[in-house]
Amino acid sequence: MMSAQLQQPSQNGTQLPASGNSSSSTNAPSGAAQSDLLDPEPLRNRAEHSKSPFVRAHSDSPVAWQLLDDHAVNRAKKENKLIFLSIGFLASHYCHLTRQESFSNPLVASLLNENFIPILIDREERPDIDNIYMSYNQSLSGSGGWPLNVFLTPELEPVFSGTYWAAPQGDVVTENGGAEKPLDWLVVIKRVLTAWETEESRVRDEAKKMVVELSHISAEGTLNREEVEDLQPAPASTQLDSTAAAVDYSREVYGEVDLDQIETAYQRITTTFDPMYGGFGIKEKFLTSAKLSLLLRATRFPRVVRDVIGPNDCTYISEMGLHTLRRILNGAVHDHIGGGFHRFSVTRDWSLPVFEKMLIDNALLLGLFLDAWLLSGGDIDGEFANVVTEVADYIISDRMLSPEGGFYTSEAADSYIRKGDKVKGNGAYYLWTRKEFDTVVGDEQEREIAAAYWNVREYGNVDREYDPHDEFLNQNVLHLVKNSARLSKQLGIPENEVKQHIESARAKLCSYREKERAQPEIDTKIVTAYNGMAIAALTRTGLALIHTDPDTSERGQKYLEVAKNAARFIKRELWDDKEKMLYRVYSDGRADIEAFAEDYAFLIEGLIELYQGTAEESWLEWADELQTLQIKLFYDGLTPTATTVNARCGAFYSTVLGAPFTLLRIKDAMDSSQPSVNAVSVSNLFRLGGLLGDKKYTYLAKESVNAFGVEMLEHPNLFPGLLCGVIPWRLGGRHWIVVGDNPLVLKAFFRAPRASLFTLRYHKPEVTDSWLKKRDPRTSEFRAERGVYTPSATSTGTTLDEHGFIQVDPHYPATQL
């Protein structure tokens, strides 16, 4: 395979053919293009025409960047040139570094412009493209990252890929008698070009085979079919014949996945847990929100589930999650001065972050810290209370919240070291020399306390092992190594005095940083899915604070109002009510990118939270409308024949049928840095099924979990989000109906950490023409007396007292809609 040739050169070094060093040969189009194109028009950089801030940042690049459209792809076919596809995002340090070191290099630009069609993509605009080629890259190297650089045939089939390659080291490939140099940009480009010019047929054949292999690698959710025949090729048309027998949505879905898989998942997750530093593994540490959420829920799951796992094990499992969150909070991934969290840590002990700050990470962490705070008692001054409000405040600050109401995507890792500088540094906004730290803090005792607290050292606190290029020489990344109680004992002063000094130092450092340093660049595009995450997290946080104490209520109301405004923004700017179409990106206007399944899923989740928190039916009505559309556009439903684009297994594909420029149609169920599309969609379907009494939604939720049965039986630990859907499938859920004013009941509901399926429906018997009454035929049978009810088998409702409401799992498997 060509990739093996590139990554594993011969012992004597790989020599380029003579033509490889000849500019005339390198510049000539290959194959049929030479006869068709005597003097093709030179490529021109089109990056400025993109709405993506990441792509537009390359407008002044000497590389003639094209957009992914028919114009670029057709030119590749016409000239018979390979496509060079680079995928990245604005916040990424290595994307910035590649643009600065390599894409600005005249020789790299010349080779790309004259011999390839260079195309640039923002992965946050097109996650579907990114997922496909990232799967390819991981199949080659076992790892991933950005920028993701892929060479493609004109038919978009992958030929070779990699992530960060070194800056050009010169125009020779071997040195010292043939000793092989590390791969740099010139080496990679020339070898790929030589293979295409000399062995095009073989390269094309291997690329086609790789697409077939990728389809097998990406076959999640298509293996659990009742039929035994192979999947047929996709039809030429982008439309599928959906004619099929009517489905009885009241029937049960049968499958092998059961509560035992939750126990197995916990056992496997436990084996990778790092008891010293928290997190998983002993190298890089990622935030893994879905996995941590599954751990935190262990003690709150229904008794039946806890009995399967073991009550003592549940306590230990939940403590694993809490311990990890404490380490994240104390570590350098936490911006101790300005609030918020970075993307992940390159060290086991969380002491050196990757400095990007992403909306998705902070929104997901907000939900986790909220659960941790509530699990720990939910007191105003309790553990995790401060970080909950700190993260929420960061999300609604002007660094993340646009004046129009939507949330921005990220803050960049790189920034200018000082205002007026021309070169950016990695993490420059967050780093401190000991001298600068002492100067800013001032007071001798205060700076000694603060330095001991945050591990600020004379010659920096970054281990040289993780700083091979001396980026962080003499620099300190703040992270907590001694808490206030330990410092109080060590210094012989009251702990309150220690805390006062630390807070004073924090305020001085924050003020200095904001006034004297250039802040990192903000990616101002607004993405529907990411905004859905923020809406859900802020709504839950706001309601928990509103129902905690009068002192926190005003702050909670603020978070709730910001969440509502963000939802209004999405509806105003990214929802076409006439065409019934949701869009993904807003950046100086709506981008012409239709929403993916994840945009529907996360937005629906946020709207459900808004309905439960405000009792405003309009949020639930829109969620229902979006859910119907998500099913129509993405669900793997019944068709006459199972094909590679509709396997008839249930669950959601990430893209619509016939999505532009996509080789494969993939289902996403394994959680990564964000919960999977199908995990969130299953939760939404169960919740909407309970809120609306919709048997179809509940049936599709069960069917979606079952679609991944083969994979979950073998590797349940890879599906923490989807495992949460096994419980309502097997045990049902709790669905409460509130009539009239019930503040104690609402307080109990909104201060409950997430566990299994639990919904809150408002019934207003005095309103006779509501949308809910038309949507849910059960409504006419609901009781009119003030109280809290749960629908019974006869749908007339059963009264619950307040004590029964706040029990973790009263009467499981409970009444099921």
Side-chain angles (χ1 to χ4, degrees), residues 258 451 553 714:
D258 211 331
S553 180
E714 188 171 356

Side-chain angles (χ1 to χ4, degrees), residues 532-590:
M533 296 179 199
I535 291 166
L538 285 171
T539 300
R540 288 187 60 233
T541 303
L543 290 163
L545 293 175
I546 289 168
H547 291 90
T548 292
D549 187 274
D551 292 338
T552 61
S553 180
E554 182 178 350
R555 198 172 208 159
Q557 290 286 359
K558 181 180 181 180
Y559 297 155
L560 182 59
E561 191 58 36
V562 171
K564 291 165 67 174
N565 284 338
R568 294 185 187 113
F569 173 87
I570 298 297
K571 191 167 189 177
R572 182 176 67 250
E573 301 294 345
L574 292 171
W575 169 246
D576 187 331
D577 190 55
K578 182 178 179 181
E579 299 296 329
K580 301 302 177 186
M581 180 62 66
L582 184 66
Y583 289 85
R584 179 169 175 85
V585 175
Y586 180 95
S587 181
D588 294 330
R590 189 181 75 192

Side-chain angles (χ1 to χ4, degrees), residues 479-675:
H479 57 279
L480 193 154
V481 292
K482 294 181 181 179
N483 61 27
S484 57
R486 184 176 171 187
L487 284 172
S488 171
K489 185 176 180 179
Q490 176 182 321
L491 301 172
I493 60 177
E495 186 177 355
N496 281 342
E497 186 177 334
V498 173
K499 290 181 177 179
Q500 288 172 4
H501 280 302
I502 291 169
E503 288 308 310
S504 173
R506 191 197 316 273
K508 293 173 184 176
L509 293 167
C510 184
S511 176
Y512 175 85
R513 202 172 74 169
E514 289 180 354
K515 291 179 181 178
E516 301 299 328
R517 293 184 176 179
Q519 292 185 318
E521 185 176 2
I522 298 173
D523 188 333
T524 56
K525 69 175 181 294
I526 296 169
V527 178
T528 298
Y530 307 163
N531 275 251
M533 296 179 199
I535 291 166
L538 285 171
T539 300
R540 288 187 60 233
T541 303
L543 290 163
L545 293 175
I546 289 168
H547 291 90
T548 292
D549 187 274
D551 292 338
T552 61
S553 180
E554 182 178 350
R555 198 172 208 159
Q557 290 286 359
K558 181 180 181 180
Y559 297 155
L560 182 59
E561 191 58 36
V562 171
K564 291 165 67 174
N565 284 338
R568 294 185 187 113
F569 173 87
I570 298 297
K571 191 167 189 177
R572 182 176 67 250
E573 301 294 345
L574 292 171
W575 169 246
D576 187 331
D577 190 55
K578 182 178 179 181
E579 299 296 329
K580 301 302 177 186
M581 180 62 66
L582 184 66
Y583 289 85
R584 179 169 175 85
V585 175
Y586 180 95
S587 181
D588 294 330
R590 189 181 75 192
D592 191 23
I593 302 172
E594 295 177 7
F596 300 100
E598 70 171 35
D599 296 296
Y600 284 87
F602 287 109
L603 180 57
I604 291 167
E605 181 181 43
L607 296 176
I608 293 172
E609 297 292 356
L610 280 176
Y611 165 72
Q612 292 188 147
T614 65
E616 296 172 14
E617 285 187 12
S618 59
W619 301 123
L620 187 60
E621 182 177 2
W622 192 27
D624 182 46
E625 185 175 22
L626 291 172
Q627 187 60 79
T628 301
L629 267 175
Q630 190 198 27
I631 293 168
K632 176 184 176 182
L633 295 172
F634 303 97
Y635 197 75
D636 183 14
L638 289 178
T639 54
T641 304
T643 72
T644 54
V645 293
N646 249 82
R648 305 202 308 179
C649 291
F652 293 87
Y653 286 103
S654 297
T655 57
V656 296
L657 183 65
F661 311 111
T662 54
L663 288 174
L664 302 170
R665 201 176 186 208
I666 296 173
K667 294 181 185 178
D668 169 33
M670 288 193 291
D671 304 291
S672 57
S673 61
Q674 67 183 53

Side-chain angles (χ1 to χ4, degrees), residues 103-120:
F103 292 151
S104 63
N105 181 282
L107 188 52
V108 169
S110 176
L111 284 169
L112 289 175
N113 294 343
E114 295 170 6
N115 302 286
F116 301 87
I117 303 298
I119 296 177
L120 190 63

